[in-house]
Amino acid sequence: MSKISVLVPAYNTGLYIEKCIESIQNQTYTNIDIIVVDDGSTDGTVEIACHYAESDARIKVISTIHKGVAEARNECLRNATGDYILFVDSDDWIAPSLCENLYHEAKRTSADIVFSAMISVSSDGTEVLFGDRSIAFQDTELLTGPDCFIRMVDAGCAYPMVAGNLYRKSLFEKNDIVFKGEYHEDEYSFPFLLKNAEKVCSIAEPQYYYRQRPKSIMNCDSNFKERAVALGEIASQFEKDLLTCDASLIHRRFVSGVSRHTSIIKKKARALYDTYIANSDRPLVLLLTEKSISSNYGIGTYLRYIAESSTDSPWDCLQIELNAYDKSEQEFSVKDGVPCYTFPARRVVYSYEKDDCIKKYQYCVFSYLASRLGNSRKLICHVNAYGYDYIAFLFKTRFEARIIFTVHYMDWAFRLNGNRDQLEHILKAPAITPEETLIKEAFTKERLFFNDCCDYVIAIAKHSYDTLHQLYNIPREKLLLIYNSTPNSPNISLSKVSLRDKYGFAQTDKIVIFAGRIDWGKGIFELVQAFKQVAVNNADLKLIIAGDGAYSSLYTHIKPMWSRILLTGYVDKETLFELYSLSDLGIVPSLHEEFGYVAVEMASVGLPVVVNPKGGLKEIAHKISSVTILNHDELNHDEECDLIDSISKALTTFSTSLCKEYHHKSSVIMSNDLEITYVYHNLFH
């Protein structure tokens, strides 16, 4: 007979663990061992378990510091010696024949997983059938894991509880399946187990007794926020690790099932968080932003910084992502540990409806949020995108919210490549062209919003601060200069040599890297043109373009040097920093940057950087010694040609000698005299 390891994670269940252990001891199937992992209990749980272990050699008790149920389950797995495993939670109990019935079915079918239903027992003794998955097995007794998962999702019985089911231990070992998170740890592991199970079956008779107690981790009102965040992060993990298709039909169907299951999890998370914010009296920061490609770059980095800074704060953060064209319905997610409500875009059919539709859209979003917020809580509305002055006004009048606006960009700067002199000329003179009319109207609207609605306006660079004070007439008492934060660089463990091997580069290659959106304003097309000129005489010169955007336009510019220019698309932070670390030179040729965060990122790993001295890039070059300014000729010719010439000269100097001008390293210093969390603190008090 194969051995079954019965695994019991325990935390402060001294009132119930005796019944749990005794029910396992009394199993009719005797080839078992019992692993009790006490997760730092303080109520005598471990002492009770040890008392039973003294008289039963099958019982092993392991005492750990408190790390949560996921790590307790993992510790159980590490100590299991059986061929099969059965989890029993320490406040539950099982019928005498459960192990025997589960093992008999596993032996008969060679199943990797044998499911069983539960009997939910309330505090008054009421018993209810719970977790019945028999409907998924109505056509056949034996299913593949993916087919089983699909059927359970379709039938609405994809209960994720890991307890009460028999698993072949090798299913965990061969597929590196572990439990994660302080809450809903079984929700995370459930799809991974079924994805890798070759055979799954079920027994009809429920013999696991699931105790419902008011103060358990799943029935405590005080952890709704934490549970919502946990579920949101699990959904994100599924999207990252499971929502990929191969050629097989079963896998495509499995992915479809995971997608539907993920949607259900997000709705559960949203319901939990809705309940939390409706009943919480903690101050709340609403981080308003717009869903756009910028969300993956500078603005997204800025919001991640705020999320990290607010982790242990006495207020909550809720990100509001507006105008999401890739969504068809409102969705809950978790971004960098911060709950996020994403609202789909409202499409405008006729141009004359635009202003009215924008107002209606913002009012609908406001109404949705207002219905979930208590009337008396302190509220900050931190806006990070233009065009949402109406919703800010609604929060200010309805909730007396304090309004903060961070100037990540200025509308006129995009149109004029940051040329302030040209802006001043347009503002002083009568508008001649439709473009000038748009610039003046947008400027006037921005100035009114900043001065009439906002309590603070945050500039992320000194040149922006000066413009906001001098042209927008914002008084200094409501104008703040807070540089974008210094990045926390990932710990890159591989050497430059190893990284080049990993990504297929030769050690002799001279690698230049650009990171950011593929967009005309980023100088990427001028960079490609200059690179092509220099690369003709430098066979080892390579260019990495890390980012997404206007690919189709870029491909025609790259031709015929496709083998010398690598387009990665958008990459995660760790991959991006590995690309920085294997490169020899970073380049930021933007025609205008409000701040220039990517230059700071590059410099933070010791990569020498050259930048176009525009906007915030010029300030960064003055503050960080490893950032060098492109040398423009003092000529009165086309700016595009001037930029191409400057990049060509920089690349030529770099490629011929790797000279000291581009090879020194320094630490990154972009100090914030005033942290955003300090601003929040002052507004709340």
Side-chain angles (χ1 to χ4, degrees):
M1 291 194 305
S2 299
K3 181 190 285 188
I4 298 176
S5 288
V6 184
L7 309 182
V8 184
Y11 178 66
N12 284 350
T13 51
L15 293 175
Y16 315 107
I17 196 169
E18 288 186 9
K19 185 170 185 177
C20 175
I21 292 176
E22 289 177 2
S23 73
I24 301 170
Q25 286 180 308
N26 294 331
Q27 289 298 295
T28 57
Y29 188 88
T30 57
N31 191 17
I32 64 172
D33 63 352
I34 305 168
I35 312 296
V36 180
V37 173
D38 180 73
D39 184 36
S41 296
T42 57
D43 69 341
T45 297
V46 67
E47 288 80 6
I48 295 170
C50 288
H51 171 73
Y52 280 93
E54 290 174 359
S55 58
D56 191 336
R58 298 176 300 172
I59 300 176
K60 180 179 181 180
V61 179
I62 300 166
S63 185
T64 67
I65 61 172
H66 184 55
K67 294 182 180 179
V69 65
E71 187 51 39
R73 291 199 194 281
N74 291 333
E75 186 65 23
C76 284
L77 285 171
R78 286 190 284 268
N79 286 274
T81 60
D83 303 295
Y84 294 90
I85 57 175
L86 168 69
F87 281 102
V88 178
D89 291 342
S90 59
D91 51 351
D92 300 336
W93 69 97
I94 58 178
S97 59
L98 177 62
C99 286
E100 183 174 355
N101 290 343
L102 288 170
Y103 177 72
H104 172 77
E105 197 65 13
K107 196 69 175 175
R108 185 181 71 82
T109 61
S110 299
D112 298 307
I113 302 174
V114 183
F115 284 117
S116 73
M118 295 180 173
I119 296 173
S120 176
V121 184
S122 63
S123 56
D124 64 1
T126 303
E127 295 185 356
V128 178
L129 180 64
F130 179 69
D132 181 19
R133 305 177 180 89
S134 60
I135 190 172
F137 296 88
Q138 60 184 347
D139 296 329
T140 178
E141 289 185 301
L142 195 62
L143 299 171
T144 66
D147 257 335
C148 178
F149 181 78
I150 293 163
R151 287 199 187 183
M152 286 180 177
V153 172
D154 289 344
C157 63
Y159 310 111
M161 294 80 67
V162 71
N165 310 313
L166 192 70
Y167 302 91
R168 197 183 298 275
K169 189 176 71 170
S170 60
L171 183 62
F172 286 87
E173 296 171 335
K174 290 180 179 179
N175 300 290
D176 296 322
I177 296 173
V178 295
F179 297 96
K180 294 183 180 181
E182 187 174 354
Y183 301 92
H184 298 283
E185 78 294 339
D186 41 7
E187 187 90 58
Y188 170 80
S189 62
F190 180 66
F192 291 96
L193 287 164
L194 285 170
K195 178 187 177 184
N196 293 285
E198 293 183 7
K199 296 178 181 179
V200 181
C201 63
S202 176
I203 61 172
E205 185 181 358
Q207 295 184 301
Y208 185 102
Y209 293 86
Y210 173 43
R211 187 191 302 271
Q212 294 281 355
R213 53 191 179 95
K215 294 185 179 180
S216 71
I217 194 170
M218 297 304 291
N219 292 296
C220 181
D221 293 347
S222 63
N223 62 15
F224 279 9
K225 174 187 172 183
E226 290 77 10
R227 287 176 56 197
V229 170
L231 285 171
E233 290 176 337
I234 287 168
S236 297
Q237 200 70 38
F238 288 169
E239 291 173 337
K240 178 182 177 182
D241 294 340
L242 292 174
L243 295 185
T244 55
C245 285
D246 61 18
S248 67
L249 176 62
I250 183 64
H251 190 73
R252 293 200 303 273
R253 291 178 57 233
F254 176 75
V255 167
S256 177
V258 171
S259 180
R260 298 195 301 277
H261 185 61
T262 300
S263 178
I264 293 169
I265 291 174
K266 287 181 177 180
K267 289 176 181 177
K268 287 166 59 178
R270 182 180 64 190
L272 284 168
Y273 196 77
D274 279 352
T275 303
Y276 168 74
I277 61 171
N279 294 284
S280 173
D281 58 0
R282 280 165 58 92
L284 178 65
V285 175
L286 296 176
L287 294 172
L288 264 68
T289 187
E290 185 174 57
K291 182 67 178 290
S292 67
I293 193 171
S294 301
S295 304
N296 293 329
Y297 297 98
I299 295 177
T301 303
Y302 182 83
L303 295 175
R304 282 193 290 276
Y305 161 66
I306 295 177
E308 293 171 0
S309 302
S310 300
T311 301
D312 299 319
S313 65
W315 56 79
D316 291 321
C317 275
L318 173 59
Q319 186 168 325
I320 308 299
E321 195 173 50
L322 302 167
N323 211 32
Y325 280 91
D326 58 341
K327 303 294 181 184
S328 58
E329 61 181 7
Q330 192 272 333
E331 185 177 278
F332 178 88
S333 62
V334 175
K335 297 180 182 296
D336 306 295
V338 173
C340 176
Y341 288 142
T342 297
F343 293 88
R346 178 169 184 171
R347 303 186 185 279
V348 179
V349 180
Y350 302 107
S351 59
Y352 63 79
E353 294 180 338
K354 183 176 180 181
D355 289 343
D356 187 47
C357 282
I358 289 172
K359 258 192 168 181
K360 287 181 179 177
Y361 173 81
Q362 293 185 37
Y363 184 80
C364 288
V365 172
F366 168 77
S367 299
Y368 179 95
L369 295 170
S371 68
R372 286 154 174 79
L373 300 176
N375 292 324
S376 60
R377 72 188 308 164
K378 294 180 180 179
L379 191 67
I380 290 175
C381 186
H382 186 167
V383 187
N384 291 273
Y386 285 106
Y388 296 100
D389 47 333
Y390 183 59
I391 193 171
F393 170 78
L394 290 171
F395 276 111
K396 191 175 186 73
T397 54
R398 169 73 166 76
F399 289 94
E400 298 183 354
R402 310 302 294 272
I403 309 299
I404 301 174
F405 189 92
T406 295
V407 181
H408 296 282
Y409 58 91
M410 298 180 185
D411 183 73
W412 63 265
F414 279 126
R415 300 174 185 272
L416 304 176
N417 288 333
N419 190 326
R420 177 172 158 173
D421 291 339
Q422 190 176 353
L423 171 67
E424 292 188 58
H425 173 75
I426 291 172
L427 294 176
K428 290 176 182 177
I432 298 175
T433 67
E435 179 78 357
E436 289 178 352
T437 300
L438 286 173
I439 290 172
K440 294 185 79 166
E441 288 177 351
F443 179 89
T444 301
K445 188 175 182 181
E446 291 167 11
R447 184 174 59 192
L448 287 172
F449 174 58
F450 291 158
N451 283 284
D452 295 348
C453 188
C454 295
D455 294 277
Y456 285 117
V457 178
I458 298 175
I460 60 175
K462 183 63 166 62
H463 73 96
S464 302
Y465 180 94
D466 293 338
T467 299
L468 290 165
H469 177 61
Q470 295 163 5
L471 294 188
Y472 288 81
N473 304 125
I474 301 174
R476 294 192 187 278
E477 58 265 24
K478 68 186 300 182
L479 184 59
L480 305 173
L481 172 59
I482 306 179
Y483 282 108
N484 230 332
S485 64
T486 303
N488 295 321
S489 304
N491 184 22
I492 307 301
S493 58
L494 297 176
S495 66
K496 186 172 185 176
V497 171
S498 299
L499 286 171
R500 289 197 168 198
D501 288 339
K502 175 180 177 178
Y503 289 98
F505 289 101
Q507 300 302 324
T508 55
D509 284 340
K510 298 171 182 176
I511 301 175
V512 180
I513 186 168
F514 166 94
R517 301 194 313 274
I518 299 173
D519 182 85
W520 290 98
K522 295 296 183 180
I524 181 64
F525 298 95
E526 290 82 357
L527 170 59
V528 167
Q529 187 66 30
F531 178 87
K532 288 167 64 176
Q533 293 175 5
V534 177
V536 170
N537 299 313
N538 294 274
D540 295 331
L541 191 63
K542 301 287 177 64
L543 173 63
I544 298 174
I545 298 174
D548 53 7
Y551 278 127
S552 56
S553 299
L554 189 61
Y555 284 134
T556 58
H557 283 73
I558 290 174
K559 182 182 179 180
M561 285 199 173
W562 293 307
S563 64
R564 306 282 295 279
I565 301 177
L566 172 68
L567 280 73
T568 68
Y570 180 77
V571 296
D572 60 77
K573 184 175 181 179
E574 183 173 353
T575 301
L576 180 62
F577 274 77
E578 287 188 339
L579 294 175
Y580 290 156
S581 299
L582 66 79
S583 299
D584 297 302
L585 180 69
I587 186 162
V588 187
S590 301
L591 304 180
H592 174 73
E593 287 285 355
E594 205 69 38
F595 176 72
Y597 196 90
V598 71
V600 183
E601 282 188 335
M602 291 174 171
S604 72
V605 298
L607 183 67
V609 188
V610 289
V611 300
N612 197 15
K614 298 287 186 175
L617 293 172
K618 189 174 182 179
E619 293 178 42
I620 289 171
H622 289 156
K623 289 179 175 289
I624 304 175
S625 59
S626 60
V627 179
T628 306
I629 289 176
L630 286 168
N631 293 314
H632 286 277
D633 291 334
E634 296 296 328
L635 299 175
N636 294 317
H637 62 261
D638 184 78
E639 185 176 0
E640 179 181 348
C641 295
D642 194 20
L643 179 57
I644 292 172
D645 289 343
S646 299
I647 297 171
S648 297
K649 290 176 182 177
L651 292 177
T652 300
T653 303
F654 157 71
S655 61
T656 54
S657 62
L658 283 176
C659 65
K660 292 182 180 179
E661 180 183 357
Y662 297 126
H663 203 58
H664 61 286
K665 298 181 180 180
S666 73
S667 60
V668 176
I669 302 174
M670 289 298 292
S671 62
N672 284 335
D673 296 327
L674 186 64
E675 294 288 347
I676 292 173
T677 51
Y678 179 76
V679 180
Y680 291 167
H681 179 84
N682 280 351
L683 286 177
F684 280 136
H685 292 86

